[in-house]
């Protein structure tokens, strides 16, 4: 395919490299001239069969491409969509933003505003963030084995969805069919709340030199993502407040149970009972993959698969079935 | 030195191996016959110069040794102290338990009960737990670079403290002089609270297959220590309730700020401000070591060093000075 990646940070840069290595024709664009220069230098050093062009503007980047991958932070999505409509682009669009409902709403307002609905859209999210940032940290193998959510809404073209699923399974990703709302609720719990816990924990020992010297593995890992740029984490968590607030409330309610256990007459016994469900959940994670199966490529079957914890590993050539991995409990 | 290690789990086993490799004469004992058998088999496979004996009972383990290292979980400490007094042991005792004030209280009741005060005692804590357990996971290099708290109380013999500091700095550990109360307050924040956050986070997504499939790096690291055995974590956190409860309250109070930010008119901007202190604390951790200095080996200078974030790297042969690393802010 002829593909443009807009936004050449960690995820956009990795997608550019991975898609180029998979044999597609790639153009990249970033509003930052220094990032474009870095990406151009890297292109010259890449293997000849896996190079990309770096465009000087959005119009040049998307002109004649079949797919545009939006890889900009949430606060920049609206402006890029407006500019994209301005280019007259009429192909397929996907994104890799960490929250899906706000992007879906922006697409409805900007890209799909009646009477024009030139471009198709499939929301996506590869679950592979890191506390490193920028094109310099981009890695074409970043998506191997990673879960990549692809949103299948009532108004999503199944053909477009299958095109994306085919593309990213070939990068080694596990495609999880979901909806924007279900995605945002799930990642609030497993990604956004962990960032808030890490930040609160790190902040709680600032200015305590003895504690910072004694801090070891549990502090290191429990606070790792607190080192991410605050503006980026804020755009992710703050773009999903309706789902993050209740997910955080669930964790703080559980922590109130820990406080009660600490204040009970037998804190060791009370905490042992309180700790057991978390230990069971964590020792059982990641879930062992179930057996493979062929599924009809229809939205109902695909969304049931994702909800149950399964994923798609390949799309059949005739686009009528997909190869999937059953959730372990099936 | 002639040393006995009582309790051959992850930390006791690692101490046994590390001290044997450092040239000391080691005996190990564990109440569990299977653990003793594992430790015996491992001894036969160790290099001849770094072997240990496994004793069949506590009396046999400590008979004639100069130092006993107690490496049992907090709930087992009292019984071992009673048994140790029963053997008539009169040498030095240290421990590696994760909380220090309760052990100090038990030592006062059991080991130092007037009129007999046979054995000396220095409380210790190497900051090197892991979610793995048991002698099979023991590693002689476990203490290289790790912070090892050694308690220096008003009634601690400075000579005993320096003997321990000399011993463990030679294992590559950074000795942090502290008191039981200051230690317990600091580790509540950097170790015990992280265990509670990890457990609450892991439990919050149990039974949510989509979330468990989408979970990636921030969930993996944020919940890692939740996989520890609940009984062990409960004995650690539940043995330090007076310090853990306020440390946990500080974190949940901070999280209330995150909830307020999420509910504010501009959640992204509000969260960015809320996230900044945690990001600054985490990107500045671990603190860069300061320059080396010689310090007089007296309790006041040593405790000031530990409180300020410094540590001891060596004890002079005449025991009058120590080599220390200044805290970075000095």
């Amino acid at each position: 395919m002829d593909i443009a990646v807009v936004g050449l940070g960690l995820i956009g840069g990795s997608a550019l490299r991975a898609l180029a290595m998979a044999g597609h024709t790639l153009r990249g664009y970033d509003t930052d001239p220094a990032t474009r220069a870095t990406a151009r230098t890297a292109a010259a050093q890449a293997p000849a069969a896996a190079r990309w062009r770096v465009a000087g503007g959005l119009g040049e980047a998307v002109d004649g491409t079949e797919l545009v991958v939006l890889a900009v932070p949430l606060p920049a999505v609206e402006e890029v969509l407006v500019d994209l409509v301005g280019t007259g682009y009429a192909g397929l669009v996907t994104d890799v933003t960490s929250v899906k409902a706000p992007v879906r709403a922006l697409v409805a307002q900007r890209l799909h505003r009646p009477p024009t609905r030139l471009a198709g859209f499939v929301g996506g999210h590869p679950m592979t963030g890191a506390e490193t940032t920028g094109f310099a940290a981009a890695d074409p193998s970043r998506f191997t084995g990673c879960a990549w959510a692809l949103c299948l809404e009532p108004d999503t073209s199944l053909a477009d969805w299958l095109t994306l699923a085919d593309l990213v399974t070939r990068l080694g990703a596990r495609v999880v069919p979901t909806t924007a709302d279900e995605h945002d609720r799930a990642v609030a719990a497993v990604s956004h709340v962990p960032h808030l816990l890490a930040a609160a924990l790190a902040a709680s020992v600032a200015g305590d030199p003895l504690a910072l010297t004694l801090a070891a593995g549990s502090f290191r890992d429990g606070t790792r993502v607190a080192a991410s740029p605050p503006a980026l984490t804020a755009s992710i968590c703050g773009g999903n407040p309706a789902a993050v607030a209740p997910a955080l409330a669930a964790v703080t309610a559980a922590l109130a149970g820990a406080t009660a256990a600490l204040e009970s007459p037998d804190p060791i016994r009370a905490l042992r009972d309180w700790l057991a469900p978390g230990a069971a959940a964590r020792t059982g994670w990641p879930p062992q993959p179930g057996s493979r199966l062929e599924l009809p490529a229809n939205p109902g079957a695909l969304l049931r698969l994702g909800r149950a914890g399964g994923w798609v590993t390949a799309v059949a050539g005739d686009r009528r079935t997909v190869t999937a991995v059953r959730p372990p409990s099936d």
Side-chain angles (χ1 to χ4, degrees), chain A:
Chain A
M1 288 181 83
D2 212 320
I3 304 173
V5 177
V6 178
L8 300 178
L10 177 70
I11 303 298
S14 297
L16 183 84
R17 284 179 175 273
L19 290 165
M21 274 190 65
H24 300 285
T25 302
L26 267 293
R27 265 175 275 178
Y29 173 68
D30 195 286
T31 51
D32 175 42
T35 299
R36 294 201 298 273
T38 304
R40 264 195 206 100
T41 306
Q45 292 160 349
R51 284 197 186 145
W52 53 88
R53 273 181 46 211
V54 177
L58 183 69
E60 181 193 338
V62 307
D63 182 37
T65 62
E66 302 156 81
L67 171 66
V68 171
V69 180
L70 298 182
V72 298
L74 181 61
V77 167
E78 184 164 17
E79 189 179 338
V80 175
L81 286 174
V82 169
D83 291 349
L84 190 62
V85 169
T87 67
Y89 175 76
L92 182 54
V93 178
T94 190
D95 76 315
V96 297
T97 318
S98 307
V99 282
K100 303 268 58 77
V103 174
R104 179 165 151 72
L106 290 170
V107 164
Q109 286 163 30
R110 297 297 185 180
L111 195 67
H112 287 171
R113 191 166 42 180
T116 58
R117 188 194 152 123
L118 288 173
F121 179 78
V122 178
H125 182 205
M127 302 301 301
T128 176
E131 74 281 17
T132 54
T133 55
F135 189 88
D139 174 2
S141 67
R142 176 163 283 278
F143 307 109
T144 308
C146 100
W148 192 314
L150 284 179
C151 294
L152 191 43
E153 315 288 351
D155 60 351
T156 306
S157 150
L158 181 62
D160 286 349
W161 191 92
L162 291 168
T163 296
L164 263 301
D166 184 50
L167 189 80
V168 304
T169 52
R170 288 174 193 272
L171 303 183
R174 304 179 284 126
V175 165
V176 179
T178 187
T179 65
D181 288 342
E182 291 182 32
H183 167 277
D184 289 358
R185 184 193 48 71
V187 298
V190 294
S191 171
H192 305 171
V193 166
H195 280 77
L196 300 178
L197 298 182
L201 179 58
S204 77
V205 292
D208 185 340
L210 175 64
L212 290 165
T213 299
L214 293 180
S218 61
F219 179 81
R220 179 194 65 222
D221 289 358
T223 57
R224 182 181 58 84
V225 294
S228 309
L232 181 61
T233 304
S235 79
I236 293 171
C237 300
N240 192 22
V244 177
L248 180 57
V251 171
T252 54
L255 291 171
T259 301
L262 287 163
E263 291 167 352
S264 77
D266 188 348
I268 293 180
R269 172 183 288 239
L271 275 180
R272 197 184 54 201
D273 294 344
W274 181 85
L275 288 161
R282 184 54 169 80
T283 51
W285 184 88
Q288 288 300 307
S291 57
R292 288 187 183 253
L293 77 163
E294 298 296 306
L295 266 189
N298 70 59
L302 290 167
L303 287 172
R304 270 194 302 278
L305 175 78
R307 247 170 236 141
W311 58 83
V312 172
T313 58
V315 177
D318 64 5
R319 303 284 171 104
R320 292 195 170 178
T321 59
V322 298
T323 306
V325 169
R326 258 183 241 272
S329 53
D330 262 30

